[in-house]
């Protein structure tokens, strides 16, 4: 029995982080011993290299405007662990978390003692707790995949709709080294005759998704094809686009998250929402849909922390996300000097990420370090900088708090200060600014 919140977290975080496995047998057995709660929920399943969190946020808000109580399962968290299991945007209470840990603990102990491969991992336990909680608390859940799809602990239920937002290079040690290999893992969430929504995927990845959908007799709706999203030029802190999917036409939709890729995420969410509403035989309220998309925000995704000077954080924690971020900087901030503070985990493609950022002309980059989660190593900024000794725009300040102070002294009121890299780093920075 755990008595308090710290005990509950220690139990969860004390588990093995990851066990590579070519099946989900242990997860199925674990849930079976808990009464198979995953079979009693209505849910939308969201996979993708990037864009999952934003897509989940858009979906949550769209569903909430229709009067549903909506559960969301996301990772990682930005401020507190409880964010990972939320209802209507509110993190699970400490008391409920403790109760769930006490519910799963005896089953975990039994599996530790009896299961040949050992008991459940940390993520399997959190996933099981989420299913138990949502079974009694929500009308509909939006469940984000942890890593990949096919062998992810969440891939143990039949959703109402499956969504694959993006496919790019990340977690290659687990998912494979080519886009078709990675796509095969993501497409593993496609279930027989369950509709699939796909964002703008690279051709080789889309082919795998199309084949998997066809094999499962699952209707496939692709952003840019069956669901048309036509971006309009926008001023201020917004994106504007027209959207059409079959008989649903929305002109001049506005979203408050910047970047063409956010238009794609919103379009994925809107398409999945329309499909879900149809299954429920519910009408789509045009005006509440428009208002919902306009107000959705997702912490840590090109999120302004301060307006004057403009300070923005963005958890662009892998190469595909940095590519999108770089395109946004060139498109929207070409007239501003841009100061970037960059800290990233060592297992990411940090040299490629930095090479991409360097293509922005009006740029100054400060490389830094931070306290990584658990035992995960952080990239050494000195080693990274050594590769770019000829680039006068790159320097190292090891202490990130000191780096923030230094950059703020150098920049003028018209400049942009962007803090990016690992989501864990962004979480620390966000907390730091909230305390100021």
């Amino acid at each position: 029995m755990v008595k308090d919140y710290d005990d509950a977290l220690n139990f969860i975080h004390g588990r093995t982080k990851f066990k590579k496995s070519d099946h989900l047998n242990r997860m199925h057995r674990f849930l079976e011993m808990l009464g198979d709660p995953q079979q009693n929920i209505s849910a939308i399943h969201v996979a993708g290299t990037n864009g999952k969190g934003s897509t989940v946020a858009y979906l949550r808000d769209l569903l909430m405007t229709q009067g549903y109580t909506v559960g969301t399962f996301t990772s990682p968290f930005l401020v507190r662990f409880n964010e990972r299991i939320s209802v209507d945007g509110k993190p699970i209470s400490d008391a409920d978390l403790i109760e769930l840990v006490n519910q799963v603990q005896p089953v975990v102990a039994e599996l530790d003692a009896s299961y040949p491969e050992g008991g459940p991992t940390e993520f399997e336990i959190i996933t099981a707790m989420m299913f138990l909680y949502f079974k009694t608390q929500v009308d509909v859940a939006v469940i984000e995949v942890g890593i990949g799809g096919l062998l992810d602990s969440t891939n143990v239920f039949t959703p109402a709709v499956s969504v694959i937002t993006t496919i790019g290079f990340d977690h290659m040690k687990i998912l494979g080294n080519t886009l078709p290999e990675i796509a095969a893992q993501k497409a593993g969430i496609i279930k027989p005759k369950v509709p699939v929504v796909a964002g703008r995927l690279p051709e080789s990845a889309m082919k795998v998704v199309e084949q998997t959908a066809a094999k499962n007799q699952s209707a496939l709706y692709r952003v840019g094809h069956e669901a048309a999203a036509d971006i309009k030029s926008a001023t201020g802190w917004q994106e504007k686009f027209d959207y059409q999917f079959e008989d649903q036409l929305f002109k001049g939709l506005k979203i408050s998250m910047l970047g063409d890729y956010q238009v794609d995420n919103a379009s994925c969410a809107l398409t999945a929402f329309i499909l879900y509403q149809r299954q429920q035989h519910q009408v789509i309220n045009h005006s509440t849909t428009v208002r919902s998309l306009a107000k959705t925000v997702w912490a840590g995704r090109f999120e302004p922390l301060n307006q004057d000077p403009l300070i923005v954080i963005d958890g662009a924690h892998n190469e595909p996300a940095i590519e999108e971020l770089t395109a946004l900087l060139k498109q929207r901030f070409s007239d501003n000097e841009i100061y970037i503070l960059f800290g990233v985990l060592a297992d990411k493609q940090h040299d490629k990420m930095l090479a991409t950022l360097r293509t922005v002309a009006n740029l100054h980059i400060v490389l830094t370090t931070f306290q990584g989660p658990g035992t995960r190593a952080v990239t050494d900024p000195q080693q990274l900088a050594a590769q770019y000794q000829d680039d006068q725009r790159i320097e190292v300040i090891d202490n990130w708090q000191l780096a923030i102070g230094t950059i703020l002294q150098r920049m003028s009121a018209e400049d942009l200060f962007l803090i990016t890299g690992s989501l864990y780093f962004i979480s620390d920075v966000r907390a730091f600014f909230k305390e100021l």
Side-chain angles (χ1 to χ4, degrees):
M1 283 277 289
V2 300
K3 299 275 191 301
D4 58 26
Y5 181 72
D6 289 339
D7 276 356
L9 280 196
N10 289 339
F11 169 72
I12 293 166
H13 295 325
R15 301 295 301 182
T16 314
K17 295 284 181 250
F18 186 76
K19 291 177 185 170
K20 197 164 179 180
S21 177
D22 58 357
H23 54 75
L24 288 167
N25 296 352
R26 178 179 52 230
M27 190 66 200
H28 279 293
R29 178 78 190 108
F30 184 21
L31 289 168
E32 190 188 346
M33 291 168 77
L34 291 166
D36 279 326
Q38 80 284 5
Q39 291 177 4
N40 294 301
I41 58 167
S42 175
I44 296 169
H45 205 186
V46 182
T49 303
N50 292 312
K52 294 191 293 287
S54 302
T55 303
V56 167
Y58 285 121
L59 261 168
R60 175 200 63 210
D61 290 353
L62 284 164
L63 291 161
M64 279 174 65
T65 59
Q66 303 304 305
Y68 296 109
T69 300
V70 186
T72 50
F73 183 58
T74 54
S75 56
F77 61 92
L78 263 186
V79 181
R80 271 190 111 222
F81 176 84
N82 305 42
E83 293 163 34
R84 297 183 67 167
I85 301 172
S86 292
V87 175
D88 287 351
K90 293 185 182 67
I92 185 173
S93 71
D94 292 357
D96 283 347
L97 192 77
I98 292 163
E99 195 178 313
L100 285 169
V101 166
N102 283 325
Q103 217 175 324
V104 301
Q105 218 178 17
V107 178
V108 171
E110 198 175 323
L111 286 167
D112 279 346
S114 64
Y115 202 77
E117 293 173 3
T121 63
E122 176 179 1
F123 190 67
E124 286 169 347
I125 288 168
I126 301 165
T127 304
M129 285 165 53
M130 172 270 296
F131 283 128
L132 280 170
Y133 193 61
F134 287 168
K135 178 185 159 185
T136 59
Q137 299 290 324
V138 306
D139 301 317
V140 55
V142 187
I143 295 173
E144 182 189 304
V145 165
I147 293 177
L150 182 66
L151 299 170
D152 188 72
S153 319
T154 61
N155 198 27
V156 288
F157 71 104
T158 302
V161 185
S162 305
V163 182
I164 300 169
T165 55
T166 58
I167 291 176
F169 290 106
D170 198 13
H171 301 297
M172 279 94 82
K173 283 194 182 99
I174 302 163
L175 303 179
N177 291 312
T178 68
L179 284 180
E181 282 176 335
I182 295 169
Q185 291 294 321
K186 309 276 184 204
I189 69 163
I190 297 173
K191 302 292 188 303
K193 298 189 175 158
V194 171
V196 188
V197 177
R200 293 180 204 268
L201 309 182
E203 201 180 325
S204 63
M206 186 63 94
K207 205 170 276 177
V208 174
V209 171
E210 287 166 351
Q211 287 164 350
T212 311
K215 196 169 71 192
N216 281 282
Q217 297 177 286
S218 303
L220 175 62
Y221 305 98
R222 300 162 299 171
V223 171
H225 295 276
E226 291 78 13
D230 182 16
I231 297 174
K232 305 290 178 191
S233 65
T235 52
W237 203 273
Q238 62 176 15
E239 297 293 348
K240 201 171 168 186
F241 65 107
D242 295 343
Y243 169 93
Q244 179 153 19
F245 175 53
E246 295 175 357
D247 61 343
Q248 294 291 330
L249 173 65
F250 291 86
K251 287 264 192 202
L253 278 174
K254 290 172 184 166
I255 54 172
S256 60
M257 291 198 261
L258 287 194
D260 291 356
Y261 53 98
Q262 288 296 0
V263 172
D264 290 347
N265 294 336
S267 301
C268 275
L270 185 49
T271 310
F273 167 68
I274 292 166
L275 290 167
Y276 185 80
Q277 284 294 81
R278 279 189 193 160
Q279 286 178 24
Q280 304 298 315
H281 307 292
Q282 297 291 323
V283 293
I284 283 112
N285 183 313
H286 205 274
S287 58
T288 56
T289 299
V290 171
R291 283 202 301 274
S292 168
L293 288 170
K295 73 175 179 58
T296 297
V297 291
W298 185 238
R301 305 309 191 280
F302 215 79
E303 178 190 6
L305 293 181
N306 194 67
Q307 288 299 339
D308 189 14
L310 182 54
I311 304 170
V312 175
I313 55 172
D314 191 282
H317 62 290
N318 54 31
E319 166 62 9
I322 287 286
E323 282 173 13
E324 297 284 17
L325 180 61
T326 301
L328 171 61
L329 293 175
K330 289 175 179 175
Q331 199 180 338
R332 285 298 192 93
F333 297 94
S334 56
D335 296 338
N336 308 67
E337 285 296 307
I338 301 171
Y339 289 85
I340 291 186
L341 181 61
F342 183 68
V344 70
L345 291 173
D347 58 4
K348 300 293 178 181
Q349 296 174 293
H350 40 78
D351 43 354
K352 278 191 182 169
M353 291 164 82
L354 188 55
T356 303
L357 282 172
R358 285 176 70 235
T359 64
V360 178
N362 45 327
L363 194 71
H364 314 272
I365 301 178
V366 175
L367 304 177
T368 193
T369 187
F370 61 100
Q371 183 64 51
T375 56
R376 289 177 73 181
V378 174
T379 298
D380 181 345
Q382 302 287 354
Q383 279 183 338
L384 190 52
Q387 298 173 40
Y388 300 102
Q389 282 168 329
D390 303 340
D391 192 336
Q392 300 305 306
R393 303 173 305 163
I394 295 176
E395 65 176 301
V396 174
I397 302 176
D398 282 325
N399 180 314
W400 62 262
Q401 290 97 331
L402 179 64
I404 287 172
T406 306
I407 291 168
L408 286 172
Q409 282 172 347
R410 287 179 193 169
M411 64 188 287
S412 71
E414 296 76 47
D415 300 340
L416 166 66
F417 181 8
L418 171 64
I419 303 166
T420 189
S422 166
L423 280 163
Y424 298 100
F425 175 41
I426 295 312
S427 171
D428 291 348
V429 170
R430 198 164 183 269
F432 173 73
F433 272 91
K434 296 284 181 215
E435 286 164 14
L436 290 180

